[in-house]
Amino acid sequence: MNLATEIDLTQDSVVQLTCWCGQIALHELWGLGRVRLDRITRRQEQLGNESLAVVMVPDRNGMPQTEKARQLRTEALPEGVPVEFRVPAMRTPRTRREQQLKIVGDRAATMAWQLMALACVQELGFGAERLNRLYREMRHNYEQLNEWGKADGIEVAMEKLRRCACEALQTEEIVVENIDDEKTVQTLSRSYQAQEDEFLKRAVMMAAGRRAGKQGGAALPLSGDEVRRKIEAAKAQMDTGAYRRRG
């Protein structure tokens, strides 16, 4: 597959695996069951949407405010808690492609860790000590997954992880499906496309408002066709693939 596709798949899978490792760790360390873990998941989703809302407000240059969103998440963590979560690797990346995928995976895992840590602060009252314990246990679970994969293959490793997640969530409903990569990419692409279109629409409208302000008059409403033309022009000038992988 091409690099852009592999980046999208890597980002999506790393987020899911990191969240599973976190849920299992919360169950193993503090005995959290399905009800409280579901509360953590809902809070993570809410915090993720709030972070995305920051990204989706164009800056003065018409670009996503990804760095601002990262900074806000980082500053919200208690002092002394790791702000990054690097995916445990079985070996050092050897090629430029592997290095790029490692960077993407680390960013995705970091975002998932930050959202989970903040959810634990807000829902469970966790401070630095318990968050650091959670961090270490999540890394241990991820390393265990790698060891299972190396020894027995990815299918066996995922089945073992599934069983651990089922025990934590007190359910047998978790299913690890072997979904075709092409279908996954299509689903991700539709989601990213919707976000890109909404962001570019906002950028176009803000730019129109600024131009009207400089000219000393009120902004005239743009027609639907005018907005669409400006969005297409913005897409032609902007690396939208880079946009969707910056979170």
Side-chain angles (χ1 to χ4, degrees):
M1 64 181 71
N2 62 50
L3 180 59
T5 297
E6 194 166 5
I7 284 175
D8 288 345
L9 291 172
T10 296
Q11 181 171 268
D12 184 61
S13 61
V14 167
V15 167
Q16 293 184 46
L17 291 175
T18 305
C19 289
W20 272 16
C21 288
Q23 290 178 331
I24 293 167
L26 287 169
H27 175 72
E28 292 174 339
L29 291 175
W30 294 285
L32 269 66
R34 182 167 190 168
V35 173
R36 287 192 290 176
L37 288 176
D38 284 346
R39 280 171 48 198
I40 295 296
T41 298
R42 288 193 296 270
R43 178 63 68 179
Q44 282 179 262
E45 293 174 351
Q46 179 182 350
L47 291 167
N49 289 333
E50 292 174 359
S51 190
L52 178 61
V54 174
V55 175
M56 293 288 285
V57 177
D59 64 15
R60 294 291 298 179
N61 297 316
M63 298 299 292
Q65 298 198 73
T66 307
E67 290 306 320
K68 180 179 179 180
R70 289 176 183 163
Q71 184 178 359
L72 289 173
R73 292 196 304 267
T74 298
E75 292 176 348
L77 292 173
E79 185 176 355
V81 173
V83 298
E84 294 186 353
F85 189 103
R86 298 185 181 277
V87 177
M90 290 185 288
R91 63 175 176 80
T92 303
R94 297 171 182 169
T95 66
R96 174 61 178 165
R97 187 186 189 95
E98 290 181 351
Q99 291 171 352
Q100 289 178 283
L101 293 174
K102 181 66 168 65
I103 291 172
V104 169
D106 287 342
R107 286 182 177 175
T110 292
M111 182 178 65
W113 154 248
Q114 290 173 345
L115 294 177
M116 174 162 284
L118 292 174
C120 288
V121 170
Q122 296 180 11
E123 291 293 327
L124 305 174
F126 275 20
E129 182 178 352
R130 284 191 288 182
L131 287 177
N132 286 332
R133 286 187 65 193
L134 173 62
Y135 179 87
R136 291 192 295 270
E137 190 66 18
M138 286 175 64
R139 282 193 58 85
H140 169 74
N141 289 343
Y142 220 123
E143 290 166 352
Q144 180 66 73
L145 177 65
N146 284 347
E147 292 174 7
W148 287 336
K150 184 177 180 179
D152 305 312
I154 188 62
E155 290 185 2
V156 173
M158 292 302 298
E159 174 59 22
K160 290 182 177 180
L161 184 67
R162 185 194 72 83
R163 292 178 183 178
C164 292
C166 285
E167 181 179 349
L169 292 169
Q170 300 169 334
T171 180
E172 289 297 328
E173 297 176 1
I174 297 176
V175 177
V176 178
E177 296 181 318
N178 186 18
I179 301 175
D180 182 78
D181 285 344
E182 184 176 351
K183 292 182 179 179
T184 302
V185 169
Q186 289 174 354
T187 300
L188 291 173
S189 294
R190 285 194 293 270
S191 176
Y192 291 143
Q193 188 66 56
Q195 291 180 16
E196 289 169 4
D197 288 347
E198 176 61 24
F199 173 81
L200 291 171
K201 179 179 179 181
R202 294 184 186 187
V204 166
M205 301 302 286
M206 287 180 64
R210 284 197 296 270
R211 284 195 295 272
K214 290 179 180 179
Q215 295 169 3
L220 296 175
L222 297 176
S223 69
D225 287 340
E226 287 175 315
V227 171
R228 281 191 290 273
R229 285 198 298 271
K230 289 181 179 294
I231 287 176
E232 290 305 317
K235 284 183 177 180
Q237 300 175 15
M238 180 179 178
D239 182 1
T240 54
Y243 154 75
R244 73 182 188 227
R245 288 184 285 273
R246 286 177 180 170

